[in-house]
């Protein structure tokens, strides 16, 4: 996860609990739970990215080319939104606006993000796999980030690592919404392919990476304590009266969950 992505994600987490806060308070120092010394070795756990010319590489390239046709459409717009709005992606699955999420939830996810960055960058720096848009120089949904993305590696997807880990944790905290949360987490990762900044392989192993991280986090006592507190407060917030997310946005997200563009595009079975 690059610096720009981290700052965008942190900005969303700072909004957590905003409805309950009367005055702005400084964000405490966000130390990771595991740190670089205790994160699992993603270099050994993940398979290497597809070799150039292999079937996997051909599928990645074909999918990139085909999904360029989505530029300017509704799914493209959602992918653009997902590029920066991490926590907001889970408003519809929970039926709860980010401003109404309890602060312990935001703090938990923000600390976890530090570990997500470490486990992702470990593999990225080792495999140094190029972004899919570089060779054909094709369109991406976040053109303002092109220069920065060209300087970073593609495999595995950091956005997907973090969003899948977030989905797993939110599903654990609010199990009655688990199906909706994880369907949205999957579509969030697919947005990276739609956006043109990651391949299918990047995203698939990003989910593996996120699951590995969550498994390791459960071995940390401080994490378990924070998860217990955050889950209790999130369930209380869900049980209390609250405003619902935008119905139109939720419809768009539901369609994205039902239609993976390179498998069953909208309008087909």
């Amino acid at each position: 996860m690059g610096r720009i992505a981290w700052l965008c994600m942190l900005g969303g987490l700072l909004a957590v609990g905003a409805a309950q806060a009367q005055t702005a308070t400084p964000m405490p120092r966000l130390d990771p739970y595991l740190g670089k010394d205790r994160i699992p070795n993603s270099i050994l756990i993940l398979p290497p990215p597809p070799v150039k010319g292999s079937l996997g590489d051909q599928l990645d390239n074909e999918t990139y080319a085909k999904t360029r046709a989505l530029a300017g459409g509704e799914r493209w717009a959602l992918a653009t939104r997902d590029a920066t709005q991490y926590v907001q992606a889970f408003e519809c699955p929970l039926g709860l606006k980010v401003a109404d999420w309890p602060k312990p939830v935001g703090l938990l996810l923000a600390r976890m993000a530090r570990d997500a960055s470490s486990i992702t960058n470990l593999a990225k720096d080792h495999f140094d796999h190029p972004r899919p848009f570089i060779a054909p120089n094709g369109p991406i949904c976040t053109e303002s980030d092109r220069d920065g993305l060209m300087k970073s590696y593609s495999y595995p997807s950091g956005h997907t690592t973090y969003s899948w880990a977030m989905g797993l944790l939110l599903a654990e905290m609010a199990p009655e919404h688990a199906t909706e949360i994880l369907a949205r987490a999957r579509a969030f990762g697919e947005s990276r392919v739609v956006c043109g900044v990651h391949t299918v392989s990047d995203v698939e192993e990003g989910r593996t990476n996120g699951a590995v991280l969550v498994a390791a986090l459960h071995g940390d006592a401080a994490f378990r304590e924070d998860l217990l507190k955050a889950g209790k407060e999130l369930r209380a917030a869900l049980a209390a009266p609250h405003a619902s997310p935008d119905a139109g946005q939720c419809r768009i997200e539901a369609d994205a969950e039902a239609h993976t563009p390179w498998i069953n595009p909208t309008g087909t079975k």
Side-chain angles (χ1 to χ4, degrees), residues 63-80 139-141 190-196 255-256 259-266:
T63 303
Y64 171 79
K66 289 179 180 178
T67 51
R68 296 315 84 209
L70 298 171
E74 189 174 83
R75 188 63 183 88
W76 184 268
L78 178 60
T80 305
I140 61 175
C141 75
E190 292 169 356
S191 284
R192 304 306 286 162
V193 179
V194 172
C195 203
D255 184 73
H259 300 96
T260 298
W262 55 96
I263 297 175
N264 62 327
T266 301

Side-chain angles (χ1 to χ4, degrees), residues 38 61 69 72-73 83 92-96 103 107 117 119 141 170 172 175 198 236 244 250 255 257 261:
R38 291 197 294 143
N61 291 334
C92 291
L94 282 169
L96 188 70
K103 286 186 178 180
L107 290 174
S117 180
I119 196 173
C141 75
L170 289 172
E172 187 170 349
H198 279 293
S244 298
C250 292
D255 184 73
E257 292 160 18

Side-chain angles (χ1 to χ4, degrees), residues 208-238:
T208 301
N209 208 35
V212 167
L213 174 61
V214 170
L217 284 169
H218 277 81
D220 183 80
F223 169 80
R224 294 195 303 271
E225 182 178 348
D226 287 351
L227 180 65
L228 186 65
K229 179 180 180 181
K232 182 178 180 180
E233 294 204 21
L234 179 59
R235 290 188 292 275
L238 289 169

Side-chain angles (χ1 to χ4, degrees), residues 103-127:
K103 286 186 178 180
V105 176
L107 290 174
L108 174 87
L109 298 177
R111 287 191 66 182
M112 181 272 287
R114 297 290 301 275
D115 291 310
S117 180
S118 293
I119 196 173
T120 300
N121 290 334
L122 178 65
K124 278 179 180 284
D125 292 342
H126 175 76
F127 292 117

Side-chain angles (χ1 to χ4, degrees), residues 56-251:
D57 180 59
Q58 291 175 34
L59 173 62
D60 283 345
N61 291 334
E62 289 171 3
T63 303
Y64 171 79
K66 289 179 180 178
T67 51
R68 296 315 84 209
L70 298 171
E74 189 174 83
R75 188 63 183 88
W76 184 268
L78 178 60
T80 305
R81 183 177 189 264
D82 284 349
T84 57
Q85 299 189 23
Y86 292 73
V87 288
Q88 289 87 347
F90 294 97
E91 288 185 332
C92 291
L94 282 169
L96 188 70
K97 292 183 177 180
V98 164
D100 293 325
W101 290 18
K103 286 186 178 180
V105 176
L107 290 174
L108 174 87
L109 298 177
R111 287 191 66 182
M112 181 272 287
R114 297 290 301 275
D115 291 310
S117 180
S118 293
I119 196 173
T120 300
N121 290 334
L122 178 65
K124 278 179 180 284
D125 292 342
H126 175 76
F127 292 117
D128 59 21
H129 199 61
R131 300 273 179 176
F133 65 83
I134 292 178
N137 196 31
I140 61 175
C141 75
T142 53
E143 286 293 341
S144 61
D145 293 339
R146 179 180 288 269
D147 290 343
L149 288 168
M150 289 183 70
K151 298 173 185 177
S152 65
Y153 298 122
S154 184
Y155 180 93
S157 166
H159 276 68
T160 306
T161 296
Y162 181 61
S163 63
W164 191 249
M166 186 190 299
L168 290 172
L169 295 179
L170 289 172
E172 187 170 349
M173 288 187 272
E176 67 277 14
H177 296 281
T179 295
E180 294 86 353
I181 291 168
L182 293 174
R184 182 64 178 97
R186 173 181 53 77
F188 188 102
E190 292 169 356
S191 284
R192 304 306 286 162
V193 179
V194 172
C195 203
V197 297
H198 279 293
T199 66
V200 174
S201 297
D202 296 338
V203 168
E204 288 177 344
E205 296 311 324
R207 286 196 287 266
T208 301
N209 208 35
V212 167
L213 174 61
V214 170
L217 284 169
H218 277 81
D220 183 80
F223 169 80
R224 294 195 303 271
E225 182 178 348
D226 287 351
L227 180 65
L228 186 65
K229 179 180 180 181
K232 182 178 180 180
E233 294 204 21
L234 179 59
R235 290 188 292 275
L238 289 169
H242 57 267
S244 298
D246 180 74
Q249 181 62 35
C250 292
R251 178 195 61 77

Side-chain angles (χ1 to χ4, degrees), residues 1-48:
M1 187 183 300
R3 177 173 173 79
I4 294 175
W6 161 257
L7 291 174
C8 291
M9 179 278 302
L10 183 57
L13 290 170
L14 285 170
V16 172
Q20 294 87 357
Q22 298 300 314
T23 59
T25 56
M27 194 73 168
R29 177 177 171 79
L30 300 175
D31 293 323
Y33 286 107
L34 301 177
K36 294 181 179 179
D37 294 336
R38 291 197 294 143
I39 59 167
N41 189 342
S42 52
I43 297 171
L44 297 179
I45 296 170
L46 302 179

